[in-house]
Amino acid sequence: MPILFSLITIGLMVFAVVDIIRRDDSDVRYLPRIVWLLLVILLPLLGSVLWFALGRVYPEGGIRLPRRRPKPSRQQAPAAPAMPIDTRTTEQQIADLDREIEEWRLREEIEKRKKEHGGSSSGPETQEG
């Protein structure tokens, strides 16, 4: 565990030193850059934390993390069609369902009667031949 803490401290110090060196004098606050460098080198953890908390100027929008840009595709896929929105009221929907149920019941009854009449040979369809 102490090795991990040391590695993190050294990494933070190196990052802070590189950041201080790359900054313009106008982007450094409260102390000159050379003083910040000495502070970070002599007190790595405290100096680095102070540098990132107080010493550097951040943009107005805060810290900006790099964003991954989507790979440009040669052909844009067509957008999926939007789902239709049902604007009927609940009562209208129930009435439509009742009509559908009645329609299915009537169709079943018609099929049942066709089977009953189709089985008997005394129907008017068989006498014409």
Side-chain angles (χ1 to χ4, degrees):
M1 193 67 174
I3 294 173
L4 181 64
F5 181 73
S6 299
L7 289 175
I8 291 173
T9 303
I10 291 171
L12 186 63
M13 180 189 75
V14 168
F15 188 67
V17 167
V18 169
D19 192 43
I20 293 169
I21 292 171
R22 294 181 67 187
R23 293 270 160 205
D24 291 330
D25 287 333
S26 62
D27 292 338
V28 178
R29 295 190 302 184
Y30 301 117
L31 298 172
R33 283 190 333 167
I34 191 72
V35 176
W36 280 114
L37 276 171
L38 289 173
L39 185 65
V40 168
I41 292 171
L42 295 176
L43 302 169
L45 185 61
L46 181 63
S48 299
V49 170
L50 287 174
W51 163 250
F52 288 114
L54 301 174
R56 81 183 284 225
V57 175
Y58 291 98
E60 287 184 24
I63 299 173
R64 296 200 177 150
L65 300 175
R67 295 182 183 173
R68 290 186 180 182
R69 295 183 182 179
K71 294 179 182 178
S73 61
R74 292 184 182 151
Q75 259 186 345
Q76 289 284 348
M83 294 295 293
I85 299 173
D86 194 0
T87 57
R88 299 176 297 171
T89 64
T90 304
E91 289 81 12
Q92 290 171 333
Q93 291 176 0
I94 291 172
D96 290 343
L97 287 174
D98 286 339
R99 280 191 289 273
E100 279 186 47
I101 291 170
E102 183 63 22
E103 181 182 343
W104 279 103
R105 189 189 63 75
L106 289 173
R107 285 180 190 235
E108 287 177 0
E109 188 174 328
I110 291 170
E111 289 295 321
K112 182 180 173 185
R113 288 187 181 179
K114 280 184 182 179
K115 287 180 184 176
E116 288 176 3
H117 291 295
S120 65
S121 60
S122 65
E125 297 113 12
T126 58
Q127 291 179 354
E128 289 180 10

